Amino acid sequence: MLELRKISYTYPQTSKPILKNLSFKVEDKHAGIIGPNGCGKTTMLHLMVGLIKPTEGDLLFHGEPVTTKLDLYNLRRDVGFLFQSSDDQLFSPTVIEDVAFGPLNLGFKPDEARAIAENTLKNLGLNGFEDRITHKLSGGEKKLVALATILAMRPKVLLLDEPTNNLDPKTTSRLIEILRNLDLYQIIISHDWDFLSHTTNTLYKIEHGHIHKCEEDHIHEHRHIHKAGDHPHQHDL
Ligand SMILES: Nc1ncnc2c1ncn2[C@@H]1O[C@H](COP(=O)(O)OP(=O)(O)O)[C@@H](O)[C@H]1O
Ligand SMILES: [Mg+2]
């Protein structure tokens, strides 16, 4: 349904392309994208929702190049993008206004939009959050509300940019549970292997401007035990 075909991308202020002749199709229901910092993961998702235009190559939606404003509108109606920073996604004073914004924009009447928003919040375990002040929420709460603003538009594809950054383990578990229960295409950028092991079954890697499917790398959960291991921590290996 959504495809980047032979795209290259160079940021206007720079000379070197970040992505080179890259092709990618949304075909796996739950795909993860990995790659070192600065390799172009976020750039790739921005290209996929038309936030930036490829220097070369095409963005295709249902097999047709996305060129007009109407094409872009149709694409954005079906493809939701969870930004790395929730503050880039949330802009209304209260949670209910933020979550109802999308449905209102799609043409639902105010009472219908409110009902959709309330229902979406309920499905995410966020009932009671309707009148909370958005900018006063915790980072984890903001992430879930940002997800609610997208899900209220009932997308068919969900792109997530490092969704577990700065989330505590409890909120990460809730997010895993939510994503596993959502029946839509999910493309997830993450460095969090345990999270990917729970939410995806195909892995892609971006390297030197290209993307390839990792056929030999198998995502798996890693459990271990050692002294002072009762706090969240990271290992280098
Ligand atoms: N607006 C921009 N202008 C110029 N360079 C940028 C811009 N945004 C990102 N870059 C550069 O493009 C490269 C890829 O960035 P990004 O897609 O954010 O990488 P990733 O998400 O994989 O960490 C980085 O070197 C970054 O510094
Ligand atoms: Mg990034």
Side-chain angles (χ1 to χ4, degrees):
M1 174 203 298
L2 187 62
E3 181 181 350
L4 293 174
R5 188 178 289 169
K6 296 186 177 175
I7 60 100
S8 297
Y9 188 76
T10 309
Y11 278 103
Q13 310 86 325
T14 58
S15 54
K16 269 195 172 173
I18 303 295
L19 302 172
K20 299 172 214 159
N21 200 22
L22 177 151
S23 295
F24 178 79
K25 254 187 201 174
V26 175
E27 53 190 359
D28 306 289
K29 207 100 202 232
H30 305 275
I33 298 179
I34 57 165
N37 286 334
C39 72
K41 302 181 296 297
T42 299
T43 303
M44 182 178 146
L45 292 200
H46 283 181
L47 285 162
M48 286 173 75
V49 284
L51 283 173
I52 50 177
K53 281 189 180 161
T55 317
E56 282 172 52
D58 288 310
L59 167 66
L60 299 134
F61 185 55
H62 292 293
E64 299 291 330
V66 175
T67 48
T68 65
K69 276 193 174 166
L70 181 64
D71 295 339
L72 202 56
Y73 174 84
N74 288 334
L75 179 143
R76 294 213 180 125
R77 206 180 44 196
D78 281 354
V79 183
F81 180 33
L82 188 69
F83 283 81
Q84 184 167 349
S85 164
S86 305
D87 289 327
D88 291 339
Q89 201 125 36
L90 304 171
F91 46 84
S92 303
T94 64
V95 168
I96 193 78
E97 287 169 277
D98 249 330
V99 183
F101 181 83
L104 275 175
N105 243 2
L106 291 177
F108 286 98
K109 297 195 187 103
D111 54 336
E112 291 168 337
R114 187 179 173 98
I116 293 170
E118 282 173 352
N119 199 31
T120 308
L121 287 168
K122 192 169 133 234
N123 288 341
L124 296 184
L126 294 172
N127 15 2
F129 272 68
E130 288 80 356
D131 298 321
R132 297 276 297 271
I133 310 295
T134 311
H135 79 265
K136 288 191 180 167
L137 300 175
S138 75
E141 289 165 346
K142 278 186 187 171
K143 184 60 73 179
L144 296 177
V145 170
L147 182 59
T149 65
I150 298 168
L151 295 180
M153 315 228 329
R154 298 176 181 150
K156 299 193 173 78
V157 182
L158 181 59
L159 310 177
L160 304 100
D161 194 353
E162 305 206 21
T164 62
N165 268 11
N166 302 320
L167 289 194
D168 61 30
K170 203 171 147 215
T171 314
T172 301
S173 300
R174 267 180 81 186
L175 185 60
I176 290 170
E177 188 70 21
I178 290 165
L179 295 179
R180 286 171 69 102
N181 285 315
L182 282 179
D183 184 24
L184 42 80
Y185 286 89
Q186 297 171 29
I187 312 290
I188 307 177
I189 293 177
S190 181
H191 295 285
D192 182 339
W193 290 96
D194 279 350
F195 180 73
L196 288 174
S197 81
H198 288 294
T199 50
T200 64
N201 35 39
T202 320
L203 199 58
Y204 291 83
K205 188 170 192 177
I206 300 185
E207 253 173 341
H208 313 303
H210 303 288
I211 192 165
H212 61 91
K213 210 177 205 171
C214 304
E215 307 282 2
E216 287 165 17
D217 297 326
H218 293 284
I219 312 167
H220 61 275
E221 193 184 7
H222 181 198
R223 292 176 191 273
H224 56 267
I225 186 164
H226 59 75
K227 279 186 187 159
D230 58 342
H231 297 294
H233 59 277
Q234 273 191 318
H235 294 276
D236 291 334
L237 289 173

